Amino acid sequence: MTRVNTVLGPIPAEELGIVAVHEHIGYGMPGSELDTTWWKSPEERYEETVPKLRAFHEYAREYGGGTFVDVTGICNGRDVDYYRSLSAKTGVHIVACTGFVGGDTALPFFARASVDYLARHFVHEITTGIGGTGGRAGVIKVGVSRGGRMTELDKRIYRAAARASKATGAGILTHLAIDAENAIAIFDEEGLPLDRVLFGHVDDGVNAGRTRDTWIADQGGRIGFDTFGYETELPDPPFWARPRRERLDHFLRFIGGEGRLERVLASADANCSPLGWPGVQGHTVNYIFEDLIPDLRAAGLDEAAIRTIFVDNPADFLSLKN
């Protein structure tokens, strides 16, 4: 039986239920706690977050439970004690991550660290725990820094993540899937099977046209359509928004390819309570239940396909395989 690390302890992969594989309890850039306009107190964040997770839990009952994967990363507001409290309060399984959203969010201590140090740090957080919380990371986050090409620091983080993945069996989830050639070259050099990597944000409104999603899948990587709900139809859409129908058509076109349904995962990349910035009003993790799954059903997907995307594929990806 394969197992998955949640913040309250390992559980069998079969107990995950429906999985929102790329989400945030609270995300902010380093230093966001100094903002005087948008920073919220812990009590305000709790009041904003609990109803969203309780709704997620209720929606997920149809699938035998629900799992929220927080991919906030080191230096961006990760708070595992808080996650543990939220999980116990709402009944939602929460998976935390180690790693970084991108090299440009790593504070100087980590930015100067060697590949070996970073790899050991990631392994420690997966096998022993994050700080003194007792909660273990269940997935590794990496990402491409602003500018569209991997920096030397990004490459060190990707290499460290590959080594930690091989040592622990944890999967790797990327922020952006651009510059995938460099990423795949690193994973190949480190001997990491690409089915342990979920290349994320292939569908965002800024980079979708530059992302070689079908090529990545052909190399063996998993594909994350995980910015569902960031639509140009929102009252105040973010710069990475995209028309709802355009994103849905992209997704349906992708999964129509032979063997691709088993390689795809979907999520909303929502922020329950943004840290030091206003966030995007009207967008929550529950877009998955309220809009996305109904859209997929209306497009002709059957329940078996929906379970493959939201239950089976993420359970396989999140399982510790070593």
Side-chain angles (χ1 to χ4, degrees), residues 133-155:
T133 65
R136 300 176 187 174
V139 70
I140 307 167
K141 184 70 176 286
V142 299
V144 178
S145 296
R146 287 179 291 268
R149 298 287 290 179
M150 291 175 67
T151 65
E152 288 307 308
L153 175 54
D154 291 337
K155 292 176 181 178

Side-chain angles (χ1 to χ4, degrees), residues 8 53-54 56-57 65-67 85-94:
L8 294 180
L53 292 181
R54 280 183 168 155
F56 180 86
H57 184 259
T67 299
S85 173
L86 289 170
S87 182
K89 181 84 170 178
T90 65
V92 174
H93 300 304
I94 297 177

Side-chain angles (χ1 to χ4, degrees), residues 10-280:
I11 65 171
E14 294 80 4
E15 294 182 11
L16 294 177
I18 196 166
V19 178
V21 77
H22 191 127
E23 305 293 333
H24 299 276
I25 295 295
Y27 173 87
M29 294 296 284
S32 59
E33 70 276 9
L34 303 177
D35 182 271
T36 57
T37 303
W38 297 109
W39 187 256
K40 303 181 183 77
S41 70
E43 292 78 14
E44 289 170 325
R45 287 188 280 123
Y46 197 77
E47 183 177 351
E48 187 174 21
T49 300
V50 167
K52 295 173 183 177
L53 292 181
R54 280 183 168 155
F56 180 86
H57 184 259
E58 288 303 309
Y59 280 126
R61 287 183 185 275
E62 178 184 353
Y63 297 89
T67 299
F68 183 110
V69 182
D70 179 273
V71 292
T72 297
I74 301 167
C75 304
N76 287 112
R78 187 183 62 166
D79 187 340
V80 178
D81 279 331
Y82 180 45
Y83 301 169
R84 287 165 62 88
S85 173
L86 289 170
S87 182
K89 181 84 170 178
T90 65
V92 174
H93 300 304
I94 297 177
V95 175
C97 74
T98 188
F100 302 88
V101 171
D104 53 356
T105 69
L107 293 172
F109 174 83
F110 293 107
R112 292 192 292 262
S114 67
V115 171
D116 286 345
Y117 177 87
L118 292 170
R120 291 196 305 271
H121 187 79
F122 299 161
V123 168
H124 180 87
E125 294 202 329
I126 295 163
T127 60
T128 302
I130 297 170
T133 65
R136 300 176 187 174
V139 70
I140 307 167
K141 184 70 176 286
V142 299
V144 178
S145 296
R146 287 179 291 268
R149 298 287 290 179
M150 291 175 67
T151 65
E152 288 307 308
L153 175 54
D154 291 337
K155 292 176 181 178
R156 294 208 314 273
I157 293 170
Y158 273 64
R159 195 171 297 278
R163 295 179 187 180
S165 177
K166 288 181 66 178
T168 64
I172 296 172
L173 189 151
T174 79
H175 167 73
L176 303 179
I178 54 177
D179 205 9
E181 297 84 355
N182 273 319
I184 289 175
I186 290 170
F187 295 141
D188 284 346
E189 289 168 9
E190 295 295 331
L192 179 71
L194 285 182
D195 69 348
R196 300 311 297 140
V197 185
L198 174 58
F199 290 84
H201 296 341
V202 303
D203 58 324
D204 81 89
V206 174
N207 297 297
R210 300 191 288 149
T211 299
R212 301 175 65 189
D213 51 4
T214 57
W215 178 81
I216 295 168
D218 289 344
Q219 307 311 302
R222 299 177 188 260
I223 301 297
F225 282 77
D226 47 32
T227 61
F228 275 105
Y230 287 118
E231 302 167 347
T232 54
E233 292 89 342
L234 288 168
D236 185 19
F239 68 85
W240 62 91
R242 192 176 180 191
R244 176 173 179 165
R245 187 72 227 182
E246 180 183 300
R247 177 184 282 105
L248 182 65
D249 286 346
H250 181 188
F251 181 74
L252 295 171
R253 198 164 55 245
F254 179 85
I255 64 173
E258 184 177 354
R260 291 186 196 151
L261 183 65
E262 289 70 30
R263 309 216 67 76
V264 75
L265 293 87
S267 207
D269 192 27
N271 208 332
C272 289
S273 184
L275 305 178
W277 65 293
V280 178

